[in-house]
Amino acid sequence: MQKLLFHTTNPDELGAYFFGEQLVDFPKYLTFLMNFLDKNNEQVQFLQAFVHVESKEEETDEVLTVETVFYNGDKTKIIRIWGAKDIQSDVALLVTKEFINPDTKQTEEEYIVIEHDEEFYHEEKPEK
């Protein structure tokens, strides 16, 4: 079962919900997203963001899922930053950054940023 908590295509609403009002309790995702935006804000265009909670029908464990989507500067790639966190244990299960072809909607590159609370990312150059 999936319950939508937030969706926007407005960058001001994204900033308010994620950072201003701090309604997303997923610090590792937000830290990566903030670092990404700090380094790439001029080179990306925000498309949309989703936040929802998922649970299997017979399980009480819930997973918080967050997704933010951008175009790169020349709109030749979609950049999707996606993450899932176990709400009960507060463990970041997975955070990925994907580069998607906007025509085929196929993932061309995918990077695991965080897996089971272990961080794999380092300083990055701005996206092209």
Side-chain angles (χ1 to χ4, degrees):
M1 175 193 256
Q2 191 178 94
K3 178 182 173 187
L4 182 65
L5 301 177
F6 176 76
H7 172 255
T8 190
T9 57
N10 180 318
D12 294 331
E13 289 177 5
L14 168 79
Y17 190 87
F18 279 36
F19 303 111
E21 298 170 20
Q22 299 178 345
L23 296 174
V24 176
D25 182 24
F26 196 166
K28 289 188 177 193
Y29 180 93
L30 293 175
T31 298
F32 179 74
L33 180 63
M34 186 175 295
N35 288 338
F36 172 81
L37 290 173
D38 284 347
K39 290 174 180 57
N40 299 288
N41 200 26
E42 299 298 318
Q43 291 87 20
V44 296
Q45 176 188 345
F46 173 71
L47 293 175
Q48 63 183 343
F50 295 93
V51 178
H52 56 85
V53 177
E54 295 181 44
S55 62
K56 296 190 179 190
E57 290 184 30
E58 296 180 18
E59 294 183 21
T60 57
D61 294 338
E62 292 184 331
V63 174
L64 176 70
T65 303
V66 182
E67 176 181 348
T68 47
V69 183
F70 306 87
Y71 267 126
N72 66 345
D74 57 8
K75 296 187 179 181
T76 58
K77 297 278 185 260
I78 294 172
I79 302 166
R80 180 174 93 125
I81 300 173
W82 180 90
K85 178 186 102 162
D86 183 288
I87 293 172
Q88 186 175 11
S89 68
D90 207 33
V91 170
L93 302 172
L94 188 65
V95 176
T96 65
K97 180 170 77 171
E98 298 172 83
F99 293 92
I100 301 168
N101 182 306
D103 298 322
T104 65
K105 307 296 188 244
Q106 298 294 314
T107 299
E108 294 182 346
E109 296 176 66
E110 181 178 19
Y111 301 94
I112 294 175
V113 177
I114 300 168
E115 188 171 25
H116 298 289
D117 255 0
E118 186 176 345
E119 298 181 25
F120 295 102
Y121 69 92
H122 301 282
E123 290 291 319
E124 296 184 1
K125 295 179 182 177
E127 304 299 335
K128 293 182 180 176

